[in-house]
Amino acid sequence: MERLLEAVTAVVCLVSPEKVRALAGAIRKIEAMKANVALSDVVGTAAAKSVIERLVEAWRATSIGSSELASMLLSASHAFENVSKQQSTELVWTGPTTPFVSARRTEQALLQVIGAAKQTLFVTSFVAYDVSTIVKALNDASTRGVTISMLLESSQDHGGSVSFDVIGKMRTLVPTAKLYAWRERAAPFADGRVHAKVAVADGAVSFITSANLTGHAMEQNMEAGVLIRGGHVPKTLDDHLRYLVDTNLVKLV
């Protein structure tokens, strides 16, 4: 049974709800002939055909009837579709790619988060420079009424570790942004740095990444991250960043 449950899960994760319904309908017509079924014709892609073939193989090893299997597929697909609406997670990658795995690029993901913002946007990064597309998107967001907050590492002249004034530069590039710094660092964070690289829009869409706001990070470095839509993670991240501000752990500069 465990093998069949895993096969059902694999199918509903890969096959659209419409195709799952068609598959369930085809299974209901099979009755006791499961030893000779060929259901992979319901779908078009090689990957989908493969998971359906594994489903049939697992089914043959059980006493589950066709109606029961069809109901399992429909129930699992319904649950998966509803969970997907609540939260989706997508791999983001910049750097060398392979033909076998597709992933959104870092710049695309960050632009998507900025573009999704309707009311608030909070971005953190260690450094920020040479990102004209991101700066334009931030200013466009400001123009449509989005409140932009940014937490950046301070320069060495202001108690930080960066050799130039990142915050001052960003103030010039995005004049409407609220800029924050982590300058009063109590133990055990006395030597800490703003190494978090995140962006969250309206507590609904978030991007967590290894990439700084730099041209190299957007185009040349090997960077990885996840783009999360819906669910509790974006809201929790947004709340945490706001509480850092509200409790004066990071301060407006």
Side-chain angles (χ1 to χ4, degrees):
M1 176 62 80
E2 185 68 24
R3 184 182 171 202
L4 180 59
L5 290 173
E6 290 177 357
V8 167
T9 301
V11 169
V12 301
C13 286
L14 188 63
V15 178
S16 70
E18 294 78 11
K19 293 291 187 182
V20 171
R21 287 192 288 271
L23 177 63
I27 289 172
R28 288 190 193 280
K29 297 176 182 177
I30 289 170
E31 298 179 352
M33 298 160 45
K34 64 184 179 183
N36 299 309
V37 297
L39 295 167
S40 59
D41 290 342
V42 174
V43 295
T45 68
K49 288 179 182 294
S50 177
V51 295
I52 290 176
E53 287 168 1
R54 290 201 299 271
L55 173 71
V56 172
E57 185 179 350
W59 182 28
R60 286 173 177 163
T62 72
S63 60
I64 297 294
S66 57
S67 292
E68 187 175 354
L69 178 60
S71 296
M72 289 169 64
L73 282 164
L74 292 173
S75 298
S77 180
H78 179 76
F80 181 76
E81 186 177 10
N82 277 276
V83 169
S84 297
K85 289 177 181 177
Q86 294 176 23
Q87 178 171 301
S88 66
T89 304
E90 184 177 358
L91 173 66
V92 178
W93 179 271
T94 298
T97 60
T98 71
F100 310 105
V101 176
S102 62
R104 186 77 61 87
R105 288 180 58 82
T106 298
E107 184 178 33
Q108 293 173 333
L110 185 53
L111 289 172
Q112 180 173 337
V113 175
I114 297 171
K118 295 179 175 63
Q119 297 179 323
T120 64
L121 176 71
F122 208 125
V123 179
T124 76
S125 184
F126 180 66
V127 292
Y129 57 86
D130 191 25
V131 281
S132 59
T133 57
I134 305 303
V135 167
K136 181 181 184 304
L138 290 170
N139 283 311
D140 288 345
S142 177
T143 299
R144 64 177 184 266
V146 176
T147 299
I148 300 171
S149 301
M150 301 186 74
L151 171 61
L152 302 167
E153 176 68 5
S154 297
S155 67
Q156 293 170 353
D157 292 340
H158 294 93
S161 61
V162 182
S163 59
F164 64 99
D165 187 4
V166 178
I167 294 175
K169 181 66 172 177
M170 189 55 64
R171 180 175 286 113
T172 301
L173 294 173
V174 189
T176 59
K178 296 180 179 179
L179 301 174
Y180 295 90
W182 185 31
R183 290 179 177 172
E184 297 178 13
R185 299 185 292 270
F189 306 109
D191 294 322
R193 303 289 182 262
V194 180
H195 269 197
K197 296 99 177 176
V198 303
V200 58
D202 300 327
V205 184
S206 63
F207 180 35
I208 302 171
T209 177
S210 64
N212 282 304
L213 292 175
T214 68
H216 270 76
M218 297 298 119
E219 299 174 4
Q220 298 181 44
N221 292 351
M222 189 178 289
E223 307 281 2
V226 287
L227 179 64
I228 305 171
R229 305 178 192 85
H232 71 279
V233 172
K235 178 65 165 59
T236 302
L237 177 58
D238 189 63
D239 287 345
H240 181 65
L241 293 170
R242 302 294 167 187
Y243 291 145
L244 289 177
V245 172
D246 292 346
T247 57
N248 289 318
L249 288 170
V250 301
K251 295 185 177 181
L252 194 65
V253 292

